[in-house]
Amino acid sequence: MSGVALITGGQQGIGLGIARALVSAGFRVALAAEREPDAPEVTAALSELGPRASYFTHDVRNVDAVPTLLDTVTAQLGPVTTLVSNAGVPARIRGDMLALSPENFDHVMDINLRGGFFLAQQVALRMLQAPPEPYRALIFITSVSAAMASVERAEYCISKAGAAMMTQLFALRLAGEGIGVFEIRPGIIATPMTAGVREAYGQRIAGGLVPAGRWGEPADVGAVAVPMATGQMAFATGAVVPVDGGLSLARL
């Protein structure tokens, strides 16, 4: 398989897990994040991924910079055939949603929802102008929080629910063009974002919160992304795949 995968937030955590899997599947990967190229996590990711990976500094909040990002990626690697919309932030402050400030609400929405939408929009427009081969796909990384409410981080849940609807909208718009659109809903994954709650969630997992009885790993998400990116799930466009060890299953 050959193709170019643009992965936002691909330098660490879930994004890096997906990058590893796509490189192994033969993709060239473009990692995009707001960090500088000499940031430790960026240099470590590039060293691990090897010559099939490149890094591009980009803040997803800056929607005006999207054309420049895509022009640069295309010039260096070729047209983007897979977008993995993964960049995201948690709630700045966990607490009573009745005390949530507009500034903190907007911070999460700008990155998790607004930035993701307008990047996907521009990628889709370019995909429509490109040949249908290799297979083209948009993959949105949301969260079980798209459907499971946590009142202490309302803005995060709202952003992920919005991203879930965004997936459905892109899937409907692009299905006739042969472009697959998918949503992956990770559960409790061991990443830098969850490092601060490692002990608390570890205890809850041990107590039965996750039926599979363990933390998820970035590789678990990467394994699901590969068939989406390679066209093996082409007729399943619009599919929502939980990667949560059974966390979101309804139980008595």
Side-chain angles (χ1 to χ4, degrees), residues 148 208-211 246-252:
M148 301 178 75
L209 177 64
V210 177
L247 171 64
S248 60
L249 292 171
R251 288 169 279 177
L252 285 173

Side-chain angles (χ1 to χ4, degrees), residues 11 14 63 72 75 81 83 108 115 127 130 138 143 155 167 203 206 248:
Q11 80 288 352
I14 288 174
V63 297
T72 305
T81 58
L83 171 65
V108 172
M127 285 179 171
L138 306 179
S143 167
E155 67 272 48
T167 304
Q203 293 174 357
S248 60

Side-chain angles (χ1 to χ4, degrees), residues 89-101 104-109 112-113 143 145-163:
V89 293
R92 277 176 166 170
I93 301 171
R94 287 185 177 230
D96 187 353
M97 61 181 285
L98 300 183
L100 174 61
S101 71
N104 286 346
F105 183 92
D106 291 346
H107 171 72
V108 172
M109 294 298 159
N112 294 4
L113 192 57
S143 167
S145 294
M148 301 178 75
S150 299
V151 296
E152 74 279 5
R153 51 195 184 107
E155 67 272 48
Y156 181 79
C157 295
I158 293 169
S159 73
K160 293 302 185 178

